[in-house]
Amino acid sequence: MTVHAVLRNDAKKMGQQTYAVLTGARSDAGPPEDLSVLLYAGGWVIHQSGPGGEEFAVPIGAVSEVGPSALVIDRPGIGTEANSVGNRLLTGRKANSVWKRLSAGTKASSIWSRLSIGTQASSVTNRLSTDTEAGLVTIDEPSETEEATQVRGINRRHPGVEHRRTLTVSRTRPVVVIEDVVKSAELHRMSLVWRLAPGLTAVIVGREVHLLKGDTKVAKICMQADTTVEPSVDGTTLRVAVGSALCWRCTTTFIFPQRSARGISLPFETMPGQWPIQHRLEAHAQSEVLCVVLPAMAAEFDYRINYLKLLRRAPLNRLFILDDFGPQGSYLIASEGNAQLGDAVCALIESERASLGIDKRNVVFTGSSKGGTTALYLAHRLGYGHVLAGAPQTRIGHFLLRQAVASGRRLADYMCPGKSEAQALDWLDRLIFDLPLSKDVDCRIHVGEGDHHYQRHVLPYVKHVRKLGGKVSLDIGDYAEHSALGEHFPSYLEKALGDLFGITFSDPSPTESSPVHSSSQASPVEVAAARSEPEGISQDASGHGSFAPMISSAPAPAPALTVMAWREGDELVGRIDLPKNWSVASVEFAFYLQIANEKKAVRWYEDTPTTRFAWPTGADPDIVSIKGFAREVANPNYKLSATAPLLQRSAVSAE
């Protein structure tokens, strides 16, 4: 009998959707597939293998209970020789014929006996063939919410062992989470086995595994366990092992690129080698300037780049580098207690600079907050260029371990695991201040006068640089909150690039200076857009289709935009649902985080209808809200907005 559950994030994306299958199927020709997982995200990631399949490579002998992607229980009394024999026998396509021989009657038991060391082999074989009692493997009915779909299963097929697996497919983020909890009556060596899809290359970086298809990163696997785990890859088999244990909890998170119905929303190229750094080069043939853009901090597993639309208005070469190392980034500096990641990023930048033929004096490193820190670090490591940094965290240890307590410890643990808090604080703080200071680097820093980064991070660094004879200048903004940096730094960046290189930015669209207003009322532009009906598609001068709105003499009621806001731990989540049949064109979304209807933080227009803000410290939930905006990409004036209070829905027309 086959028992399985299929979970999907968005069936409307068809072949670009993410879906996962949890199966308790039992095969007559091989081992039981106990709570095995299949995973698809625009292509197979975790691939179903099994008897009759082309990629079946299940080891036999002491680990004969392995399903395609499941828990392995390896009793300490069984030697490693059987493991190696089994792996040598069952690799590649020969697996099918071996399994057929193994299941063809009495001959099978003699083969099992030789492989599996005496009497224990017979117990393994008997369990595989006779444990058919109901209830040994159960899968509950899946549950669904607006945010996720989830299913739980229990496997008690291994004597004295209970394995609980929870599979969650997020509908708001490109993330699938698998939580495994194992409890045993006696010590076992345990491991999780994942069968990777053919054509994928796995690169292990610490406790993470990056999956590449060609030069495109299609997924990242992050493992968080209550004990040390050791990932290893053999061909298409990923094994996450733990030593002998009575119980074990492991959370495995699969993170994918953001996808629309047409594929990956913003494709990146991946650097080959042991550091699979994702980057996007947008070359401008007439420019002699290279702008390296480093990312700020975002929510856990929400990796993004910054200032894409702003810098696309400037005639220069742009190199965007994504920081997807660790659950929440790594400053692109350190992993597992060493700075080899920073070395690899420097090598990437130097390679791109040389290929473009850009003079070292014409390289700009820029970013805000965490991205500003990375900009300082890389420029001085390379020893050239200009830095345009917004409110950087120069004392990384103090910021992560004394200020950003919730998310900061995740980053610190990834960058330097195994250290005491005092050791980690000191090691992280020295990453910036112990750098050899290059006098060829021109450093310019912008910060708000009331921003805590000014006193705690910027002033100590400016004093340090000037003491050593380096170049640094300071631009102080008239604002108090770090969250306002996103409003002020873009104009500073635009002006600074103009001062340095005479770069003139093209004019933004009428709505691009900000998503609109901080109040809950619609702007006049929104009113006109809400009352205009798309009549048809015309061709603009470039040949691309655009909507030609027509204002009716008796306008129909404005369509309603639905915005939702809810809290998840230390994050505020916002989501927008478009009105039915509002637009058939490509749509993008923006968000305000508001407190008492006053704008506190902004997420600029992107193609994802969901966003996450850090929860505003000390805020009264009754006055927290999110304002959402949706507009057509080709016709930005055709736009709607609405505001949602916390834990409620708002279906407000733009009027």
Side-chain angles (χ1 to χ4, degrees):
M1 180 178 72
T2 299
V3 180
H4 64 273
V6 181
L7 310 183
R8 303 176 187 273
N9 70 336
D10 187 352
K12 295 191 294 293
K13 289 184 179 178
M14 303 298 288
Q16 296 302 323
Q17 68 180 296
T18 297
Y19 67 84
V21 181
L22 182 67
T23 176
R26 185 170 180 80
S27 170
D28 293 333
E33 300 168 8
D34 295 338
L35 302 184
S36 182
V37 171
L38 298 80
L39 188 53
Y40 179 97
W44 284 110
V45 178
I46 300 300
H47 189 64
Q48 179 68 16
S49 319
E54 287 301 308
E55 290 81 35
F56 185 56
V58 177
I60 200 171
V63 290
S64 59
E65 295 168 270
V66 178
S69 293
L71 172 73
V72 177
I73 299 295
D74 186 3
R75 187 168 300 179
I78 301 178
T80 56
E81 184 179 349
N83 282 328
S84 62
V85 171
N87 280 305
R88 287 202 303 272
L89 275 176
L90 283 177
T91 55
R93 300 190 178 185
K94 291 184 179 179
N96 292 329
S97 59
V98 174
W99 269 113
K100 289 173 184 175
R101 292 201 306 273
L102 285 175
S103 2
T106 58
K107 203 172 187 180
S109 73
S110 63
I111 297 176
W112 275 97
S113 298
R114 291 201 307 273
L115 286 174
S116 302
I117 311 178
T119 58
Q120 294 199 31
S122 121
S123 65
V124 172
T125 310
N126 289 335
R127 287 203 303 274
L128 292 176
S129 59
T130 64
D131 280 355
T132 57
E133 300 97 316
L136 289 180
V137 178
T138 59
I139 296 178
D140 296 341
E141 284 289 327
S143 60
E144 294 188 65
T145 66
E146 293 278 357
E147 296 78 51
T149 177
Q150 185 179 86
V151 67
R152 292 181 171 89
I154 303 176
N155 172 23
R156 298 187 179 93
R157 185 128 43 198
H158 302 284
V161 178
E162 179 183 85
H163 172 210
R164 293 178 177 265
R165 172 166 277 183
T166 303
L167 171 62
T168 305
V169 176
S170 173
R171 287 176 167 170
T172 60
R173 297 188 293 169
V175 169
V176 172
V177 181
I178 301 171
E179 184 177 36
D180 292 286
V181 179
V182 185
K183 296 179 181 179
S184 172
E186 56 183 292
L187 284 174
H188 289 281
R189 289 194 298 270
M190 304 178 189
S191 58
L192 296 173
V193 173
W194 306 103
R195 305 298 184 190
L196 306 179
L200 296 184
T201 301
V203 180
I204 297 176
V205 180
R207 290 159 288 173
E208 298 183 329
V209 180
H210 299 248
L211 301 181
L212 280 66
K213 190 166 190 176
D215 63 358
T216 300
K217 189 180 296 186
V218 298
K220 188 188 81 165
I221 306 173
C222 179
M223 293 151 287
Q224 296 167 300
D226 57 5
T227 187
T228 302
V229 295
E230 297 180 5
S232 61
V233 175
D234 182 8
T236 59
T237 299
L238 167 64
R239 184 180 295 266
V240 182
V242 66
S244 297
L246 289 172
C247 57
W248 180 32
R249 179 187 295 269
C250 183
T251 300
T252 306
T253 305
F254 292 80
I255 307 100
F256 309 102
Q258 192 72 250
R259 291 178 178 272
S260 68
R262 291 173 292 184
I264 295 175
S265 301
L266 190 66
F268 288 85
E269 187 177 348
T270 305
M271 179 178 174
Q274 68 180 100
W275 297 101
I277 301 164
Q278 292 197 87
H279 57 283
R280 180 179 178 88
L281 177 65
E282 297 185 346
H284 193 287
Q286 284 72 46
S287 175
E288 296 180 353
V289 176
L290 172 62
C291 187
V292 182
V293 190
L294 293 316
M297 193 177 298
E300 186 178 27
F301 301 127
D302 184 15
Y303 309 113
R304 58 181 64 204
I305 59 175
N306 305 113
Y307 307 116
L308 175 70
K309 292 190 177 181
L310 171 70
L311 291 170
R312 280 180 170 176
R313 291 168 38 214
L316 45 68
N317 300 283
R318 300 170 290 272
L319 177 60
F320 297 94
I321 304 179
L322 197 68
D323 183 7
D324 66 342
F325 295 92
Q328 208 166 351
S330 61
Y331 286 84
L332 288 169
I333 294 176
S335 168
E336 300 295 316
N338 66 73
Q340 292 179 10
L341 173 57
D343 295 340
V345 176
C346 287
L348 168 65
I349 294 169
E350 179 58 16
S351 173
E352 296 291 358
R353 182 200 66 80
S355 67
L356 291 168
I358 303 293
D359 190 292
K360 291 180 178 180
R361 294 169 294 182
N362 291 346
V363 178
V364 178
F365 301 86
T366 189
S368 54
S369 195
K370 167 176 162 284
T373 306
T374 309
L376 291 171
Y377 182 87
L378 295 174
H380 284 290
R381 280 292 298 273
L382 285 164
Y384 59 73
H386 305 267
V387 176
L388 301 177
Q393 296 123 21
T394 59
R395 299 162 71 212
I396 298 174
H398 270 78
F399 178 75
L400 295 182
L401 298 172
R402 293 287 187 267
Q403 295 173 243
V405 177
S407 60
R409 292 183 186 277
R410 284 196 291 261
L411 274 79
D413 181 60
Y414 178 80
M415 294 175 74
C416 54
K419 297 181 184 293
S420 69
E421 183 168 310
Q423 290 173 326
L425 187 144
D426 177 67
W427 190 84
L428 291 165
D429 273 354
R430 289 190 290 103
L431 285 173
I432 296 295
F433 283 87
D434 281 4
L435 274 176
L437 194 69
S438 173
K439 296 183 180 180
D440 291 328
V441 174
D442 169 34
C443 179
R444 305 183 183 199
I445 300 176
H446 166 86
V447 65
E449 185 173 15
D451 185 342
H452 65 86
H453 287 64
Y454 178 47
Q455 294 287 342
R456 296 177 178 176
H457 298 279
V458 174
L459 285 182
Y461 183 72
V462 169
K463 182 179 179 180
H464 167 74
V465 173
R466 287 175 176 169
K467 181 179 178 180
L468 296 178
K471 300 177 186 177
V472 62
S473 60
L474 191 56
D475 180 80
I476 303 174
D478 185 19
Y479 58 94
E481 298 293 332
H482 185 67
S483 59
L485 180 64
E487 298 176 51
H488 295 271
F489 186 69
S491 57
Y492 169 79
L493 180 58
E494 183 174 345
K495 182 178 184 302
L497 286 171
D499 292 343
L500 282 170
F501 302 107
I503 292 173
T504 301
F505 283 61
S506 62
D507 292 332
S509 67
T511 58
E512 196 163 314
S513 57
S514 73
V516 193
H517 301 287
S518 60
S519 70
S520 58
Q521 298 298 314
S523 71
V525 172
E526 288 175 311
V527 173
R531 291 178 177 171
S532 60
E533 293 287 331
E535 186 69 18
I537 296 180
S538 61
Q539 296 292 319
D540 62 20
S542 64
H544 298 298
S546 62
F547 272 103
M550 176 181 291
I551 299 179
S552 169
S553 58
L561 190 71
T562 300
V563 179
M564 291 169 281
W566 66 92
R567 183 173 181 176
E568 288 185 4
D570 59 354
E571 295 179 330
L572 176 63
V573 185
R575 175 173 168 175
I576 295 174
D577 287 338
L578 295 175
K580 188 176 181 181
N581 299 327
W582 174 57
S583 174
V584 297
S586 296
V587 177
E588 55 188 3
F589 307 87
F591 298 85
Y592 288 159
L593 185 160
Q594 300 181 146
I595 299 178
N597 290 327
E598 181 181 349
K599 178 177 61 178
K600 295 296 184 181
V602 176
R603 289 284 185 267
W604 191 235
Y605 280 103
E606 295 182 329
D607 63 357
T608 174
T610 304
T611 194
R612 290 173 177 264
F613 295 96
W615 178 260
T617 304
D620 180 354
D622 291 339
I623 61 173
V624 174
S625 63
I626 282 185
K627 184 172 184 180
F629 303 82
R631 72 180 185 184
E632 288 184 357
V633 175
N635 184 14
N637 288 343
Y638 196 68
K639 174 173 55 181
L640 298 175
S641 70
T643 300
L646 190 65
L647 299 177
Q648 298 181 30
R649 292 191 180 196
S650 172
V652 181
S653 300
E655 57 185 19

